[in-house]
Amino acid sequence: MNKIPASEITAPEVYFNRRNFMRAGILAASALATGAVYRRLNRVSTATVETHRIDGLVTSATPGAETAGFHASDKTTTFEDITHYNNFYEFSTDKQEVADAAAKFESKGWQVAVGGLAGKPKVFDLDELLKISTPEERVYRMRCVEGWSMVIPWAGFSLSRLLARVDPLSATKYVAFETLVDAQRMPGQRKGVLDWPYVEGLRMDEAMHPLTLLASGLYGRALPPQDGAPIRLVVPWKYGFKGIKSIVKITLVATEPPTTWNRRAPNEYGFYANVNPQVDHPRWSQATEQRIGETGRRPTLMFNGYGEQVAGLYAGMDLRANF
Ligand SMILES: Nc1nc2c(c(=O)[nH]1)N[C@H]1C(S)=C(S)[C@@H](COP(=O)(O)O)O[C@H]1N2
Ligand SMILES: [Mo]
């Protein structure tokens, strides 16, 4: 078998607590090897992903979609790559193994509890939640803090539509999100690589921004387990770790909620995590990125290219401090 050394494929974050492996050389090699790993990845056999088509999907023909940032004109990453190069520590810390580890994940009976500072808190059955708004195709760039990126044709609707349903009280300043905790169905949760559940958060104005997406599909099909079935968050101007997968709870809150990677390594991951080529992660430059499917690296764009739409949210903030 074409076995790839763990030093090349394990996300560098994983090394954070494995002091025995904390060697600068390994970390540097790991970041630099993304391209090499990716080229080999194409030779790794991959299982077929079965999903069903999303009914009534409004596609990119929607007028104004490009100027709104809803439809990046970049070439989309292949379905194969989007579904076989994943970060989802609940299943595996090996990006190439998430697909197989998650293949049997069952989201039947899924519910999402939306509450906190809400006039009308509600536990939504998934099908009820999906009916809140017609799914739209949104082609977004996705930039992981590890230095790689993709272009993904998501299907979903703006999170603001769901939040409006529960009548947020004026005291709401932030929104907190939680992933399912179930070590039977998410075997990675038997390991202490992260504190479970995975939690994330947004400021209320970020959560209400039209680009902020609740995604239930990609490439016009239901979300495969490895990409966060049945429902996940996508915030295209922020690093990928903000895009929490397999959400079961959304809570409106008054103060900044804790977030998984910030808790784990506060000097490395901030709450805001806006893509910023001028603020390096302590272990990786953020100036460039490898677009999966391309050779070489391309410059990383401020706010991942969504500055026109979102820079105003951060007027007067020190972007360097708020990494
Ligand atoms: N629950 C949960 N959500 C998660 C993660 C995770 O490990 N667990 N990984 C994050 C990271 S680091 C990235 S880059 C994106 C990857 O999404 P994708 O695999 O669909 O491309 O998911 C994010 N959401
Ligand atoms: Mo990431």
Side-chain angles (χ1 to χ4, degrees):
M1 208 187 105
N2 188 10
K3 195 77 184 149
I4 297 166
S7 60
E8 281 187 42
I9 52 176
T10 306
E13 294 103 313
V14 174
Y15 288 101
F16 186 70
N17 267 0
R18 289 193 204 161
R19 302 196 190 283
N20 294 343
F21 292 91
M22 273 285 273
R23 305 228 200 292
I26 293 173
L27 294 172
S30 173
L32 290 170
T34 309
V37 170
Y38 172 71
R39 283 186 285 281
R40 278 196 254 177
L41 165 69
N42 283 337
R43 281 187 255 128
V44 174
S45 83
T46 46
T48 316
V49 183
E50 286 192 33
T51 60
H52 59 268
R53 287 190 184 283
I54 291 177
D55 292 333
L57 180 69
V58 178
T59 65
S60 48
T62 315
E66 205 161 329
T67 45
F70 292 166
H71 198 266
S73 54
D74 309 37
K75 182 173 180 286
T76 52
T77 304
T78 64
F79 182 79
E80 183 69 13
D81 286 343
I82 293 169
T83 58
H84 292 88
Y85 193 79
N86 300 100
N87 271 333
F88 202 171
Y89 283 16
E90 282 84 341
F91 291 101
S92 175
T93 52
D94 178 337
K95 285 189 246 304
Q96 297 173 54
E97 283 179 5
V98 174
D100 278 352
K104 294 199 173 74
F105 183 72
E106 186 53 75
S107 51
K108 218 171 18 194
W110 198 269
Q111 293 184 318
V112 182
V114 189
L117 299 172
K120 293 185 201 153
K122 185 173 162 64
V123 178
F124 292 86
D125 286 335
L126 183 70
D127 56 344
E128 216 181 345
L129 191 151
L130 296 181
K131 273 187 235 147
I132 286 175
S133 190
T134 310
E136 295 166 40
E137 182 173 81
R138 301 277 185 91
V139 182
Y140 287 166
R141 288 176 289 277
M142 210 268 277
R143 171 63 156 79
C144 174
V145 72
E146 295 163 342
W148 52 269
S149 64
M150 293 188 184
V151 181
I152 306 181
W154 300 107
F157 56 79
S158 297
L159 173 67
S160 64
R161 306 247 179 186
L162 169 63
L163 298 183
R165 279 297 170 97
V166 299
D167 260 0
L169 304 180
S170 60
T172 306
K173 296 286 182 289
Y174 295 87
V175 185
F177 303 85
E178 280 185 39
T179 295
L180 176 71
V181 186
D182 184 341
Q184 294 297 317
R185 292 152 76 195
M186 294 180 151
Q189 290 180 340
R190 288 178 209 143
K191 299 184 193 133
V193 284
L194 290 175
D195 286 341
W196 314 111
Y198 193 100
V199 291
E200 256 305 337
L202 293 172
R203 216 170 56 189
M204 187 59 172
D205 57 348
E206 298 175 324
M208 294 301 287
H209 193 282
L211 281 171
T212 301
L213 188 71
L214 264 185
S216 58
L218 59 85
Y219 271 111
R221 294 177 169 269
L223 212 50
Q226 61 266 42
D227 290 286
I231 191 124
R232 57 99 49 94
L233 183 70
V234 182
V235 193
W237 70 95
K238 293 179 179 284
Y239 291 114
F241 64 85
K242 297 292 294 182
I244 182 172
K245 297 177 170 181
S246 305
I247 297 167
V248 292
K249 195 170 174 192
I250 300 178
T251 313
L252 304 173
V253 294
T255 54
E256 190 183 287
T259 59
T260 289
W261 281 104
N262 176 254
R263 255 190 198 158
R264 174 59 185 279
N267 60 322
E268 301 194 11
Y269 307 98
F271 175 81
Y272 283 92
N274 292 318
V275 174
N276 188 339
Q278 289 159 26
V279 177
D280 288 339
H281 178 278
R283 289 186 273 122
W284 312 293
S285 161
Q286 296 298 353
T288 63
E289 66 200 58
Q290 200 216 343
R291 180 66 56 83
I292 299 300
E294 288 181 356
T295 49
R297 298 179 73 83
R298 51 162 71 210
T300 287
L301 304 174
M302 186 65 201
F303 292 116
N304 204 23
Y306 298 95
E308 207 179 307
Q309 290 82 25
V310 304
L313 295 175
Y314 310 101
M317 260 175 89
D318 180 355
L319 295 175
R320 286 177 168 271
N322 290 289
F323 62 93

